[in-house]
């Protein structure tokens, strides 16, 4: 059984299938950008993309990613190692305080902008509503997503 994580093929074995996906990513693959917040799928800090859709890794098992494509925050970097324009927008807008929610927020925003490259501010707020942030008050996060939206209109991004 295989999966693709951050554009790399990963061989899975039978013993891993019932393991928590969050634990597998963090402990076995050392992809620690995926955070453990509530452990119950409510806060969004563990959000990853599975086949381009935001999913909560804390409530999934490894079996849920067999034959699927997974993107974590580590996979957002461009092939030349540069930050993704969305990540740069978060930095420039001051949208990162403690940073704990940011990987999940960035991935949620990435999936949203990939489908809606010219969003309104209310649409952005709705799109990120499943991701909780206790530091920024969301204003800078919405600013960052809005600022990054033109990059999604060029099809020059990792999808």
């Amino acid at each position: 059984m295989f999966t693709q994580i951050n554009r790399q093929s990963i061989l899975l074995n039978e013993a891993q299938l019932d393991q928590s996906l969050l634990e597998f990513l963090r402990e076995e693959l050392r992809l620690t950008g995926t955070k453990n917040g509530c452990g119950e799928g409510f806060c969004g800090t563990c959000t990853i993309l599975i086949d381009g859709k935001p999913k909560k890794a804390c409530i999934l098992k490894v079996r849920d990613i067999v034959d699927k494509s997974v993107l974590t925050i580590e996979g957002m970097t461009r092939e030349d190692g540069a930050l993704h324009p969305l990540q740069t927008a978060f930095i420039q807008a001051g949208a990162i305080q403690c940073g704990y929610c940011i990987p999940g927020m960035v991935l949620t925003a990435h999936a949203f902008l990939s489908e809606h490259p010219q969003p309104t501010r209310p649409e952005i707020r709705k799109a990120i509503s499943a991701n909780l942030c206790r530091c920024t008050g969301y204003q800078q996060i919405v600013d960052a997503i809005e600022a990054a939206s033109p990059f999604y209109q060029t099809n020059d991004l990792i999808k």
Side-chain angles (χ1 to χ4, degrees):
M1 292 166 282
F2 288 91
T3 189
Q4 187 180 59
I5 299 178
N6 299 332
R7 298 176 302 280
Q8 293 186 7
S9 197
I10 306 287
L11 175 64
L12 302 171
N13 64 51
E14 205 55 49
Q16 295 167 318
L17 295 181
D18 286 325
Q19 184 178 5
S20 157
L21 179 55
L22 178 62
E23 182 180 301
F24 175 74
L25 293 171
R26 290 183 57 80
E27 303 299 324
E28 292 199 29
L29 300 183
R30 301 287 188 233
L31 297 172
T32 58
T34 305
K35 305 297 185 205
N36 184 6
C38 68
E40 297 180 8
F42 296 116
C43 72
T45 60
C46 67
T47 300
I48 58 172
L49 301 185
I50 299 177
D51 291 339
K53 305 293 181 205
K55 301 291 181 183
K56 312 282 177 49
C58 73
I59 58 173
L60 296 174
K61 301 287 186 191
V62 172
R63 74 174 60 259
D64 297 319
I65 63 167
V66 172
D67 296 327
K68 297 193 175 168
S69 177
V70 176
L71 183 68
T72 71
I73 195 68
E74 291 88 352
M76 288 288 292
T77 55
R78 291 173 163 256
E79 291 192 20
D80 64 2
L83 289 178
H84 188 282
L86 181 58
Q87 292 171 301
T88 301
F90 267 71
I91 293 166
Q92 291 173 342
I96 301 171
Q97 298 293 311
C98 81
Y100 206 75
C101 71
I102 297 303
M105 195 73 74
V106 166
L107 287 162
T108 297
H110 178 61
F112 172 68
L113 288 172
S114 293
E115 296 290 321
H116 304 92
Q118 295 179 306
T120 64
R121 291 178 75 80
E123 289 171 333
I124 293 169
R125 287 187 180 282
K126 184 177 180 187
I128 62 170
S129 65
N131 296 75
L132 301 179
C133 175
R134 295 186 171 116
C135 299
T136 69
Y138 297 95
Q139 186 61 41
Q140 298 96 325
I141 293 169
V142 173
D143 292 345
I145 296 167
E146 184 177 53
S149 66
F151 293 101
Y152 285 81
Q153 297 167 32
T154 66
N155 292 323
D156 184 34
L157 300 174
I158 300 167
K159 299 223 174 165

